[in-house]
């Protein structure tokens, strides 16, 4: 079984409050990035193993979220051993949800491979057990995500026709680092209200609460965001906990001509 595990961007991210379980309540809109994806192959095997190709992942193979996803499916539903080949193309530590997408792909792949025929609600519950934004990839369509990210409602952001630019420097930001410096607060204007405005009115109103302290610790991220705005982005922001930045440009020529301000920057372009 061959699968594509595409990543996502976060449009706006409000960290509302810390929960009793140690997680945080958030409000964010997640949008799939269709043409930036990891490739996975899953097939039955004598013993479960993970083969990693492509970009490096900063964790031991046995702790990879793909194996955690298989273990969950094995424990809950008795799924048999599999061989997973992961060809990593989505940068790690970027706030793009690459690992979460991989985990959900394994959940869905194992479901199909062993004929489990799980309902969407069961797939979401499995994915949510593996991470806060993992459940999003079950639906893999624009969603307003609340709770710790697993409570979803479909939305239709009005940015069709824009070009998406994603840039990521050769430094990563861990989720732990991002949350360690955030100050939770309920904004006067909800993200849902802000996003009813035209895309051209989002800058300065649709915010990512991680940006101030992450930019202070990683100044090059602020430089990258400013470079996207100077290149013509009508909206630019950090995705999730970073370190990837993205911009929405309405001029495809300027989008095609964009060059990062320093070397070692991953760049992805996609027409929305």
């Amino acid at each position: 079984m061959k699968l594509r595990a595409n990543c996502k961007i976060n449009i706006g991210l409000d960290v509302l409050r810390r929960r009793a379980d140690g997680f945080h309540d958030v409000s964010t809109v997640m949008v799939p990035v269709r043409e930036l994806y990891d490739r996975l192959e899953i097939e039955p095997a004598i013993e479960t193993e993970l083969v990693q190709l492509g970009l490096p992942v900063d964790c031991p193979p046995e702790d990879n979220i793909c194996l955690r996803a298989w273990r969950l499916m094995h424990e809950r539903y008795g799924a048999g051993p599999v061989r997973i080949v992961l060809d990593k193309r989505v940068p790690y530590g970027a706030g793009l949800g690459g690992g979460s997408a991989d985990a959900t792909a394994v959940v869905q792949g194992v479901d199909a491979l062993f004929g489990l025929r799980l309902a969407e609600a069961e797939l979401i519950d499995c994915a949510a057990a593996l991470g806060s934004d993992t459940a999003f990839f079950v639906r893999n369509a624009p969603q307003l995500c609340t709770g710790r990210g697993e409570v979803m409602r479909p939305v239709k952001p009005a940015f069709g026709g824009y070009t998406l630019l994603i840039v990521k420097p050769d430094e990563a930001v861990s989720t732990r680092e991002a949350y360690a410096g955030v100050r939770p607060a309920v904004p006067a204007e909800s993200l849902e209200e802000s996003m009813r405005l035209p895309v051209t009115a989002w800058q300065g109103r649709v915010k990512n609460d991680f940006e101030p302290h992450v930019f202070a610790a990683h100044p090059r991220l602020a430089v990258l965001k400013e470079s996207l705005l100077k290149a013509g982005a009508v909206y630019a922001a950090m995705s999730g906990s970073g370190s990837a930045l993205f911009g929405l440009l309405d001029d495809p020529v300027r989008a095609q001509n964009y060059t990062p301000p320093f070397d070692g920057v991953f760049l992805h372009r996609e027409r929305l």
Side-chain angles (χ1 to χ4, degrees):
M1 180 168 292
K2 296 182 179 181
L3 302 167
R4 290 183 177 184
N6 64 266
C7 65
K8 55 81 180 170
I9 54 171
N10 295 75
I11 298 180
L13 201 163
D14 296 331
V15 183
L16 306 176
R17 64 189 66 85
R18 185 175 176 86
R19 297 155 43 129
D21 61 6
F23 290 96
H24 290 77
D25 282 324
V26 301
S27 178
T28 185
V29 170
M30 296 189 196
V31 176
V33 180
R34 299 292 183 186
E35 298 304 319
L36 180 54
Y37 52 83
D38 295 336
R39 293 181 181 269
L40 291 99
E41 294 185 14
I42 306 174
E43 60 183 356
I46 302 301
E47 294 183 356
T48 293
E49 66 170 326
L50 171 66
V51 178
Q52 295 183 182
L53 308 173
L55 297 175
V57 177
D58 188 20
C59 76
E62 62 271 17
D63 294 335
N64 189 285
I65 196 169
C66 291
L67 288 182
R68 288 169 47 206
W70 174 81
R71 291 186 196 112
L72 181 143
M73 299 298 284
H74 174 70
E75 292 166 4
R76 288 193 181 186
Y77 305 106
V82 294
R83 182 176 188 264
I84 303 169
V85 179
L86 170 62
D87 183 359
K88 191 73 181 160
R89 302 179 177 198
V90 178
Y92 177 86
L96 297 173
S100 296
D102 297 339
T104 300
V106 171
V107 167
Q108 293 174 314
V110 169
D111 172 59
L113 197 62
F114 292 97
L116 301 177
R117 299 181 180 178
L118 300 180
E120 181 189 78
E122 292 177 280
L123 292 171
I124 287 174
D125 184 66
C126 290
L130 296 164
S132 293
D133 60 2
T134 314
F136 162 78
F137 292 100
V138 174
R139 292 184 176 171
N140 206 25
Q143 305 283 318
L144 174 66
C145 302
T146 55
R148 61 182 180 88
E150 84 287 7
V151 180
M152 299 180 288
R153 181 162 59 80
V155 293
K156 294 183 179 180
F159 47 54
Y162 282 83
T163 299
L164 169 69
L165 292 181
I166 297 176
V167 291
K168 183 200 175 292
D170 57 1
E171 58 192 285
V173 178
S174 70
T175 303
R176 177 176 295 181
E177 177 187 358
Y179 274 103
V182 77
R183 295 184 178 182
V186 177
E189 181 178 73
S190 71
L191 176 59
E192 190 172 12
E193 292 173 316
S194 300
M195 287 198 62
R196 292 194 186 107
L197 299 168
V199 178
T200 51
W202 286 359
Q203 199 66 41
R205 297 185 72 163
V206 178
K207 300 179 180 180
N208 182 330
D209 282 347
F210 292 128
E211 281 191 14
H213 64 278
V214 170
F215 284 4
H218 302 271
R220 294 206 305 172
L221 302 190
V223 173
L224 277 174
K225 178 179 176 179
E226 186 61 28
S227 76
L228 291 168
L229 292 170
K230 287 181 178 178
V234 298
Y235 178 73
M238 188 170 74
S239 182
S241 56
S243 59
L245 288 299
F246 69 91
L248 300 176
L249 285 77
D250 57 6
D251 185 337
V253 175
R254 296 189 72 180
Q256 187 61 41
N257 291 336
Y258 171 79
T259 301
F262 41 81
D263 294 334
V265 175
F266 173 90
L267 171 61
H268 174 77
R269 293 183 181 88
E270 181 170 327
R271 189 80 166 167
L272 297 176

